[in-house]
Amino acid sequence: MRLVAGITLVGRGIVGLHGEPQFESAILLILSTATGMLLLAGLWTPIAGILAAAIELWHTFSRHTFSHPGDALNHIMLATLAIALALLGPGAWSVDARLFGWKRIDIRNRKN
């Protein structure tokens, strides 16, 4: 999931920056590319996921999105994927897992 979301965010950001975007669009595209790189590396996954979801929802409701018919649904899908990543946290092959380790929650049996 991290790879799909990260590659999509970075790809859209790079393609969008090749033209001459307006200032607001350029800032969002740079943030999108940065959060995509963080998700690819697995660094600050919950923060990057929430930021990516916010950016994608901003793209969904901005006036530039509706130039192509299917763009709004693609942004909503990517925002949903980013929220899922924020809730799941980093995977086994991530910088976060190397820095902080995996957290384990043991649920005790209440029948004792």
Side-chain angles (χ1 to χ4, degrees):
M1 282 180 17
R2 279 186 311 121
L3 291 176
V4 170
I7 290 170
T8 304
L9 288 168
V10 170
R12 279 188 188 170
I14 291 172
V15 169
L17 288 171
H18 277 297
E20 292 188 17
Q22 296 175 354
F23 181 72
E24 175 188 334
S25 298
I27 296 296
L28 286 175
L29 290 170
I30 291 169
L31 281 174
S32 177
T33 305
T35 56
M37 289 181 186
L38 287 174
L39 287 176
L40 280 173
L43 183 62
W44 300 334
T45 305
I47 296 167
I50 290 170
L51 185 59
I55 292 168
E56 290 303 313
L57 289 175
W58 181 264
H59 279 296
T60 300
F61 296 114
S62 71
R63 57 186 158 90
H64 303 291
T65 301
F66 298 108
S67 60
H68 301 289
D71 275 356
L73 293 177
N74 289 334
H75 289 296
I76 291 171
M77 185 210 49
L78 193 55
T80 305
L81 187 60
I83 291 170
L85 284 170
L87 292 174
L88 286 175
W93 298 336
S94 67
V95 176
D96 284 342
R98 299 279 182 225
L99 292 176
F100 307 114
W102 276 21
K103 305 295 183 229
R104 181 178 171 156
I105 299 172
D106 290 325
I107 301 174
R108 296 180 183 173
N109 189 358
R110 301 193 107 190
K111 292 182 181 180
N112 291 341

